[in-house]
Amino acid sequence: MSNDVSYKDKKVITIGVVSELTGLTDRKIRYYEEKKLIFPERTAGGSRKYSFSDVELLMKIADKMEDGIQTREIRQELVKEQNRATKEELRKKMLQGQINAHFGFRKP
Amino acid sequence: MSNDVSYKDKKVITIGVVSELTGLTDRKIRYYEEKKLIFPERTAGGSRKYSFSDVELLMKIADKMEDGIQTREIRQELVKEQNRATKEELRKKMLQGQINAHFGFRKP
DNA sequence: CGTGTAAGGAATTCTGACACG
DNA sequence: CGTGTAAGGAATTCTGACACG
């Protein structure tokens, strides 16, 4: 189905590199996780791993923090965005279902 | 000019994750570097950083090693590939030069 | 030649807490 | 609330070398 998202969403970057990439301190990055703004995966040993998408999101977060927006609000915005995205995807799937129902669909 | 290559070629993955991703031991990964097959960058502290392209290349290398090909030969193949790519790029640039010469080119 | 491994050390990351404001 | 920092510990990575084949 999807394609090159494989890289952008793969969680492979450790916090030190994320810190370099975003200019944020480790402390801030971990704090935003605590506040549910970001969700890294972990290595077997417990080290955090982030994706390029996470890095982009962290930069957006940094901008909003600079604007004086609280993590609470940012979190709400993110949840809303996520809901919009989920709904959109659902809408697409239902439409596809209609199409399949109309034109029929059999395995080859 | 180029576009989304930004992610694929960005060196951000530490050797432990690369090891997970490729199934190769750290020892092997470092050895292939010693043999000039792969060229990671370094963090300030000296840790190696790889790109997704590097990961892909390592998997290709692993395949060839399984086929009993020596690092020496693999290296030669890689250099040839690189030369082909460089030539191709040069060819494109020269062609573009011809086009600009013919149709003229002024800054707006 | 390609790879495992033990060795010693340095860099990286982790958590929980105190501090300030 | 958001962030810095010192603390102690564990996981990660590094290099050079010996071993085997």
Side-chain angles (χ1 to χ4, degrees):
Chain A
M1 286 290 174
S2 291
N3 179 25
D4 206 47
V5 186
S6 39
Y7 291 135
K8 194 169 179 184
D9 288 339
K10 202 138 202 180
K11 311 241 177 185
V12 296
I13 316 178
T14 49
I15 199 166
V17 178
V18 172
S19 176
E20 286 177 21
L21 259 33
T22 61
L24 298 170
T25 60
D26 298 15
R27 179 66 166 100
K28 286 182 179 178
I29 297 170
R30 294 198 192 97
Y31 182 69
Y32 299 152
E33 178 184 358
E34 191 184 318
K35 291 307 178 182
K36 307 289 177 62
L37 302 184
I38 194 94
F39 304 91
E41 292 183 356
R42 299 275 183 152
T43 67
S47 294
R48 273 165 266 248
K49 290 185 299 185
Y50 303 84
S51 67
F52 280 111
S53 292
D54 291 334
V55 170
E56 287 186 1
L57 179 52
L58 280 169
M59 295 178 87
K60 282 188 199 169
I61 294 172
D63 285 345
K64 304 203 176 187
M65 292 301 289
E66 277 185 34
D67 293 346
I69 307 181
Q70 295 194 328
T71 58
R72 185 87 210 289
E73 299 173 64
I74 297 176
R75 168 124 201 267
Q76 291 170 339
E77 289 176 31
L78 291 177
V79 171
K80 279 178 192 165
E81 265 181 51
Q82 185 52 51
N83 285 344
R84 269 196 292 274
T86 303
K87 257 182 203 164
E88 177 67 11
E89 198 159 322
L90 192 62
R91 196 186 60 71
K92 275 185 188 171
K93 275 186 182 158
M94 293 192 68
L95 178 60
Q96 189 58 50
Q98 294 296 317
I99 290 169
N100 289 342
H102 265 284
F103 293 93
F105 178 74
R106 303 289 179 279
K107 284 188 182 177
Chain B
M1 287 288 176
S2 290
N3 179 24
D4 207 48
V5 185
S6 40
Y7 291 134
K8 195 168 178 185
D9 287 339
K10 204 140 199 179
K11 312 242 175 183
V12 296
I13 317 177
T14 49
I15 199 165
V17 178
V18 171
S19 176
E20 286 176 20
L21 258 33
T22 61
L24 298 171
T25 60
D26 298 15
R27 179 67 166 100
K28 285 181 179 178
I29 297 170
R30 293 200 192 97
Y31 181 68
Y32 300 152
E33 179 185 357
E34 190 184 318
K35 291 306 176 184
K36 306 290 175 65
L37 302 183
I38 193 94
F39 304 90
E41 293 182 356
R42 300 275 182 149
T43 66
S47 295
R48 273 166 265 248
K49 292 185 296 185
Y50 302 84
S51 67
F52 280 111
S53 293
D54 290 334
V55 170
E56 287 186 1
L57 178 53
L58 279 168
M59 297 179 87
K60 281 188 198 170
I61 293 172
D63 286 344
K64 304 203 176 189
M65 292 301 290
E66 277 185 34
D67 294 346
I69 307 182
Q70 296 194 329
T71 58
R72 185 85 210 292
E73 298 173 66
I74 297 176
R75 166 120 204 268
Q76 291 169 340
E77 289 175 31
L78 291 177
V79 170
K80 278 178 193 165
E81 265 180 50
Q82 186 51 51
N83 284 343
R84 270 196 292 275
T86 303
K87 256 182 205 164
E88 177 67 11
E89 197 158 321
L90 192 62
R91 195 186 61 68
K92 274 185 188 171
K93 275 187 184 161
M94 293 193 68
L95 179 59
Q96 189 58 50
Q98 294 295 317
I99 291 168
N100 288 343
H102 265 286
F103 293 92
F105 179 74
R106 304 289 180 279
K107 284 189 182 175

